[in-house]
Amino acid sequence: MTITHAVVRAAGLGDVGHILAEYREAIKNLPMEESANLLSRPYDEFKAAVENGLFFVIENAVGNFMAGAGVFDLENPTEKELGMCYVKKEWRGFGLQTLLLQVRVCAATLGQVPEKNGNDNTNKNYAALIAGVKPANAHSAANTTELGFEPLAVPSAALFAACASCRTPPASGSGRKCCCDFFYLSDDRRAEAIEKSLQMENWSTIRNGNQLIITLKIRHLQDPDFRNALQDIVHELRHEMSGAGASMACY
């Protein structure tokens, strides 16, 4: 069995050119049915995600790019979109998309939106986590729903802002406003994803006799204060769900 060591980490500004080169190469060289699933973002949104520590890369021991994905702030501050996921062909099947989903759920949840009344003593609302997937991309749709994302019946207008730069817009007359279907993560599955991430020491998978071991160099999974904050969020989400269930039982 061959063993490959890799790391997942937040990208820095020094990584911007290299990451974009990987995406450009994929768009240029992959067959259209594959490259169409690679949903790029406007440069300013991509750079903002990097600056905010919300774009993550997986790379091998010598720094070669294996996969990447980001979290993007939307015009509506109560929503964040998980997007721009790309796993290089030779590393597909190792579960890297799922790992990047879990990492981003944790990172995005740490950015919270207070209640409108501004009372610090009340519970917080956490920005909704939304993912867009092309209908033909069955593998990504399966990974997304397996983590707990559910179809979003009425996407907000903010989710369509990136459509202006889309390379593969829906065909005229298709009746589609966007080439993607949108999914959101419920509170219970968000709590579950965060808890699983907090329990991970590293990520290890085996495929076709090849073992891939990924070290988690993610600040919000290493820093004690961040870990405590995430654990508090898990408790709060589950407490709110329990309270909601008790209230419903009273009727």
Side-chain angles (χ1 to χ4, degrees), residues 80-247:
K80 293 181 184 290
E81 185 173 1
L82 280 60
M84 207 171 165
C85 185
Y86 168 47
V87 179
K88 296 191 79 167
K89 194 165 188 176
E90 57 266 36
W91 296 110
R92 295 173 190 171
F94 285 95
L96 302 191
Q97 187 178 51
T98 298
L99 171 59
L100 287 168
L101 278 169
Q102 287 190 218
V103 165
R104 288 180 291 164
V105 167
C106 293
T109 300
L110 284 173
Q112 59 188 21
V113 179
E115 293 278 4
K116 290 183 179 180
N117 61 19
N119 185 343
D120 290 337
N121 293 321
T122 63
N123 289 331
K124 303 291 184 180
N125 282 334
Y126 297 96
L129 304 184
I130 300 169
V133 182
K134 281 182 175 288
N137 192 353
H139 184 73
S140 291
N143 287 337
T144 302
T145 55
E146 185 176 350
L147 194 71
F149 282 80
E150 304 172 23
L152 180 62
V154 185
S156 71
L159 289 166
F160 301 109
C163 292
S165 60
C166 182
R167 296 178 298 108
T168 56
S172 176
S174 67
R176 295 186 64 94
K177 187 175 180 179
C178 178
C179 64
C180 288
D181 294 328
F182 291 98
F183 301 81
Y184 76 98
L185 190 63
S186 63
D187 282 351
D188 58 334
R189 298 305 295 271
R190 184 201 297 248
E192 181 180 313
I194 293 172
E195 193 162 55
K196 284 183 178 179
S197 297
L198 289 171
Q199 292 170 353
M200 289 192 301
E201 293 183 6
N202 56 35
W203 178 274
S204 178
T205 55
I206 298 175
R207 180 174 182 266
N208 297 332
N210 299 312
Q211 184 177 18
L212 177 61
I213 301 174
I214 302 176
T215 300
L216 307 178
K217 293 189 175 180
I218 303 293
R219 185 182 177 191
H220 62 266
L221 293 176
Q222 293 179 316
D223 184 286
D225 290 337
F226 284 6
R227 288 181 62 85
N228 289 338
L230 285 170
Q231 192 60 64
D232 288 344
I233 288 170
V234 170
H235 176 75
E236 180 182 338
L237 290 173
R238 288 183 169 157
H239 175 74
E240 288 180 353
M241 288 184 292
S242 175
S247 297

